Amino acid sequence: MHTRSSSNLVGNSSSNPTTTNLKRRNRRRSNQRVEPFALEESPVVTMADQRTMAELLRAPTEGYAEAIVVPPILAEHFELKHSLINMMTSDQFFGLEKDNPHDHIRWFNKITSTIKYKDVPNSAIKLMLFPFSLAGAARRWLEKEPPRSILTWEDLVSKFINEFFPPSRTTNLRNEISNFEQRFGESFHEAWDRYKDLLRACPHHGFTELHQLDTFYNALNPADQDSLNSAAGGNLLERSTQDVLTIIENKSKVRNSRNKSIVSQVKSSDGNSSSSSE
């Protein structure tokens, strides 16, 4: 009887459903993949800006580099005299429509060519003085140029001319030169001076000396053409360009002096008549 009861216990334990379910659960758990444990990275702590709000709101003190780069000067104790600066400000270029940048460069070169300093290149003096010769729109143009973008005097002249003498202005002046005509009642020397002003206003017109003289001759009235031919000994076009230029200049001076003498004679006669009437 003891034996039977023990066999019954063994049989009952093997057929226990609870024990079977536990084994199956353990088997399932052993098949599951175990993910490795990863540590979370802590955020990088940056140093906070320690400046005050007033300092952060303050205007920056950078970006004041000049457009013109003046080359190193080897001379000791060199400085621009106030008299030179005052000379530059006496006839400033404003960049107005009537202003001619070529005339300003001629004037500036004439003034600075007389300035001599030992061990100081003349180009460096020009680069230092030129900003003082500008005002208004011209000065604002230079201030807006990129920093350190002008390295030589040639760079400065090129940018200055291109800014204030656009291609359209060149085209208009070239047309005025090509279509030049002596005005009604205009004297020879007045026509010649006006023609030279047009050539001077556009020095890069590209016309040869032959073309310039031929244009001026054909623009004159018949009386002045005959006068030039007579001065040339028959036909002006049979003379060289240099001879023609000399003849025109001489005729302009003679006619100009005659006009002045006539004016003075008229004034003197008016004075005599007024004195006699008294």
Side-chain angles (χ1 to χ4, degrees):
M1 189 172 173
H2 177 74
T3 305
R4 190 184 301 125
S5 61
S6 61
S7 61
N8 290 335
L9 289 172
V10 173
N12 293 336
S13 62
S14 60
S15 60
N16 190 345
T18 303
T19 303
T20 305
N21 290 337
L22 285 174
K23 289 181 180 180
R24 289 176 180 173
R25 283 197 201 101
N26 290 336
R27 193 178 297 115
R28 288 196 199 99
R29 288 174 183 173
S30 62
N31 292 335
Q32 291 179 353
R33 181 179 178 183
V34 180
E35 297 292 338
F37 179 75
L39 294 174
E40 294 185 1
E41 295 183 1
S42 58
V44 178
V45 179
T46 58
M47 294 296 293
D49 198 329
Q50 299 299 320
R51 291 178 295 174
T52 63
M53 289 184 63
E55 291 174 336
L56 292 172
L57 294 172
R58 190 176 300 155
T61 57
E62 300 176 352
Y64 292 102
E66 299 286 344
I68 299 176
V69 178
V70 179
I73 297 176
L74 302 179
E76 297 181 359
H77 310 297
F78 169 77
E79 62 179 11
L80 292 176
K81 297 180 180 180
H82 289 289
S83 59
L84 290 177
I85 297 176
N86 292 335
M87 190 181 300
M88 294 296 107
T89 58
S90 65
D91 192 7
Q92 291 177 309
F93 182 87
F94 286 82
L96 303 177
E97 187 176 356
K98 65 180 181 64
D99 294 338
N100 192 318
H102 292 289
D103 292 339
H104 186 70
I105 292 296
R106 289 192 194 96
W107 169 82
F108 187 83
N109 282 333
K110 185 177 181 180
I111 297 298
T112 55
S113 63
T114 62
I115 304 173
K116 306 292 182 183
Y117 284 97
K118 185 180 180 181
D119 297 329
V120 180
N122 189 254
S123 59
I125 296 176
K126 290 181 177 180
L127 290 173
M128 285 187 287
L129 283 176
F130 191 77
F132 296 102
S133 72
L134 304 180
R139 178 177 294 176
R140 290 191 294 272
W141 159 76
L142 184 60
E143 291 173 350
K144 292 179 181 179
E145 285 296 294
R148 305 181 65 83
S149 61
I150 301 175
L151 305 179
T152 65
W153 170 244
E154 289 73 19
D155 289 344
L156 180 54
V157 172
S158 176
K159 290 190 174 185
F160 177 70
I161 295 296
N162 288 331
E163 177 67 22
F164 296 102
F165 207 100
S168 58
R169 191 171 180 179
T170 300
T171 302
N172 292 335
L173 282 172
R174 280 175 56 89
N175 290 335
E176 286 191 55
I177 295 171
S178 298
N179 301 321
F180 180 81
E181 287 186 1
Q182 186 179 14
R183 294 169 179 167
F184 179 79
E186 187 177 40
S187 66
F188 178 86
H189 80 272
E190 289 173 342
W192 177 237
D193 286 346
R194 185 166 61 88
Y195 187 67
K196 287 191 297 183
D197 286 341
L198 287 175
L199 296 174
R200 191 180 299 109
C202 188
H204 54 292
H205 51 70
F207 298 125
T208 63
E209 188 177 48
L210 173 63
H211 182 84
Q212 297 171 39
L213 295 174
D214 183 62
T215 299
F216 178 72
Y217 175 79
N218 290 313
L220 296 173
N221 58 48
D224 283 327
Q225 286 183 350
D226 292 341
S227 178
L228 286 177
N229 289 328
S230 176
N235 189 349
L236 184 72
L237 300 181
E238 292 180 356
R239 304 292 292 270
S240 66
T241 55
Q242 187 60 45
D243 289 343
V244 171
L245 182 60
T246 302
I247 292 171
I248 292 176
E249 287 288 356
N250 290 338
K251 177 176 171 56
S252 177
K253 292 175 182 178
V254 172
R255 183 64 63 90
N256 194 12
S257 62
R258 284 180 181 175
N259 289 343
K260 289 181 180 179
S261 63
I262 292 173
V263 171
S264 61
Q265 289 175 6
V266 171
K267 286 184 178 180
S268 61
S269 62
D270 290 343
N272 293 333
S273 61
S274 61
S275 59
S276 61
S277 62
E278 291 177 358

